[in-house]
Amino acid sequence: MTTILAIETSCDETAVAIVKKRQVLSSIVTSQIATHRRYGGVVPEVASRQHLELTNEAIERAFEESGLTWADIDGIAATCAPGLVGALLVGLTAAKTLALVRQKPFLGVHHLEGHIYASYLTDPNLEPPFLCLLVSGGHTSLIHVKACGVYETLGQTRDDAAGEAFDKVARLLGLGYPGGPEIDRVARAGNAFAFPLPEGKVKLPNGGFHPYDSSFSGLKTAVLRLVQTLKADSEELPVADLAASFQDTVARALTKRAIQCAIDINLSTLVIGGGVAANSSLRQYLQDAATEHQLNVLLPPLKYCTDNAATIGCAASEHLSRGRISPMTLGVQSRMPVSEALSLYTA
Ligand code: KG4
Ligand code: ZN
């Protein structure tokens, strides 16, 4: 009762997967990065048009790869929020249409829930409660996962998301788009302690600092000033050292807050999700800190950290197995807190 055809088109990946509970039977991800690279970022209208061109073929390939037929599918899911409205509409309309034609249950899925469920695909025995550090192009959150669909956000960014900071700093350093993987690659040859940078603490009215919130705009400005000063001295920009120092600062700050939060609320399992969870320095810091504090840390494979439909299908499968389906009137939303994920279902 839980084999799902899932579609994810919230940003610049056209992805379709077939998932049976926590088992991925096929996962097709067609990245549009090459198209958007020349603009230095995602162009929403271009993304929507590409999703239109790529979705049907991705569905066919997902069936071919899995060896399944429509008779094997129990439900059809698509990401419905948050994301680019035009892009989301393509996947959601495809899923609703197929659900009507094939007479199958339809489920809308919250995009961040997909990132959380990357960990369910990684460890089939994982069960709530646990803490999720969700770091993507649009979000930087510490989420207490209490049950399927029940989430409490305990920390978030006050300005830029972690991935956004990686992308902006990469641009400052003359690196390509998307910036995260580029910084990660270049930083390997750099000295992480070359340039001390501010870790982006969030001040509280009482003079202290928020234990779990982040702010990356000050860090981004610090890198900008450094680049300007180095350029004014007509030095050749030490790109590797700058990339490594920036990456190390972000990875250390995120790790510190996540570990502190897990300890404070007495959770022994910490998982990560979102594109920035692919970052090698962050993974290393988390692994080391988990060992030090005797926490269980789950690092999903890179293919389930960045956007894909397998994680969306896994989330939908858990909801459908609890009898939850979405109404055909469900629309898309550019913003939606993950705490509202359950409002997408009628039962
Ligand atoms: O989760 P995701 O694929 O899409 C969103 O939902 O936003 O995340 C994309 C973000 C981009 O900002 C990208 O630069 C970043 O994840 N990213 C990385 C790495 N791989 C992707 N950031 C740091 N290190 C990486 N290895
Ligand atoms: Zn994402």
Side-chain angles (χ1 to χ4, degrees):
M1 247 298 275
T2 44
T3 302
I4 303 284
L5 172 79
I7 307 175
E8 151 65 47
T9 60
S10 68
C11 191
D12 60 347
E13 260 95 25
T14 311
V16 177
I18 298 180
V19 179
K20 186 176 186 180
K21 289 187 181 163
R22 298 181 182 192
Q23 191 191 353
V24 182
L25 303 178
S26 62
S27 177
I28 309 296
V29 181
T30 312
S31 173
Q32 301 179 7
I33 283 175
T35 308
H36 297 284
R37 187 169 279 142
R38 78 183 86 140
Y39 307 106
V42 179
V43 184
E45 179 61 22
V46 174
S48 313
R49 285 167 192 266
Q50 290 236 322
H51 287 312
L52 266 179
E53 282 172 24
L54 298 169
T55 301
N56 283 346
E57 194 193 322
I59 293 171
E60 277 168 28
R61 283 176 57 206
F63 272 111
E64 268 167 39
E65 210 176 81
S66 67
L68 299 190
T69 66
W70 279 108
D72 302 308
I73 302 296
D74 301 311
I76 302 174
T79 310
C80 62
L84 302 171
V85 165
L88 286 166
L89 260 178
V90 177
L92 193 79
T93 308
K96 280 188 195 174
T97 310
L98 289 169
L100 279 172
V101 172
R102 300 285 171 180
Q103 304 264 296
K104 310 272 184 191
F106 154 72
L107 294 96
V109 176
H110 193 288
H111 182 75
L112 296 196
E113 201 175 31
H115 281 308
I116 294 170
Y117 274 76
S119 293
Y120 287 78
L121 293 177
T122 312
D123 176 1
N125 298 316
L126 178 70
E127 291 297 339
F130 56 87
L131 184 68
C132 178
L133 170 63
L134 207 160
V135 273
S136 69
H139 295 84
T140 303
S141 309
L142 276 165
I143 301 168
H144 182 177
V145 178
K146 298 179 171 178
C148 175
V150 185
Y151 310 108
E152 186 183 359
T153 302
L154 299 173
Q156 51 199 325
T157 177
R158 297 293 178 99
D159 35 58
D160 290 352
E164 213 176 339
F166 268 94
D167 294 337
K168 287 178 179 169
V169 167
R171 209 171 304 149
L172 286 176
L173 300 182
L175 300 170
Y177 176 85
E182 284 293 293
I183 289 191
D184 205 345
R185 182 178 60 80
V186 171
R188 284 197 189 120
N191 172 9
F193 306 104
F195 301 103
L197 293 164
E199 70 166 69
K201 289 182 183 167
V202 173
K203 270 211 178 101
L204 290 172
N206 67 8
F209 293 101
H210 195 291
Y212 316 133
D213 279 2
S214 309
S215 159
F216 291 112
S217 69
L219 171 58
K220 188 186 61 193
T221 309
V223 178
L224 172 66
R225 297 257 157 76
L226 204 50
V227 168
Q228 286 168 337
T229 312
L230 290 166
K231 276 188 178 164
D233 294 343
S234 69
E235 282 180 36
E236 197 184 319
L237 214 54
V239 174
D241 286 349
L242 285 164
S245 301
F246 166 77
Q247 174 172 280
D248 188 80
T249 307
V250 175
R252 242 181 317 118
L254 290 173
T255 301
K256 194 168 89 183
R257 286 164 203 154
I259 298 285
Q260 189 59 53
C261 186
I263 293 172
D264 288 350
I265 59 170
N266 213 9
L267 288 177
S268 58
T269 301
L270 170 66
V271 312
I272 56 172
V276 184
N279 186 263
S280 58
S281 182
L282 177 62
R283 294 171 85 91
Q284 189 62 55
Y285 268 115
L286 283 168
Q287 191 82 69
D288 293 347
T291 309
E292 187 188 336
H293 296 279
Q294 294 175 329
L295 295 173
N296 203 352
V297 68
L298 215 80
L299 307 174
L302 305 196
K303 63 180 174 184
Y304 297 143
C305 288
T306 46
D307 288 350
N308 68 90
T311 56
I312 300 296
C314 181
S317 165
E318 295 271 343
H319 286 301
L320 186 60
S321 71
R322 288 164 174 78
R324 297 171 189 157
I325 57 168
S326 301
M328 277 295 171
T329 48
L330 187 75
V332 300
Q333 287 185 53
S334 61
R335 289 165 171 269
M336 184 185 205
V338 70
S339 56
E340 289 174 19
L342 264 189
S343 69
L344 302 173
Y345 309 106
T346 46

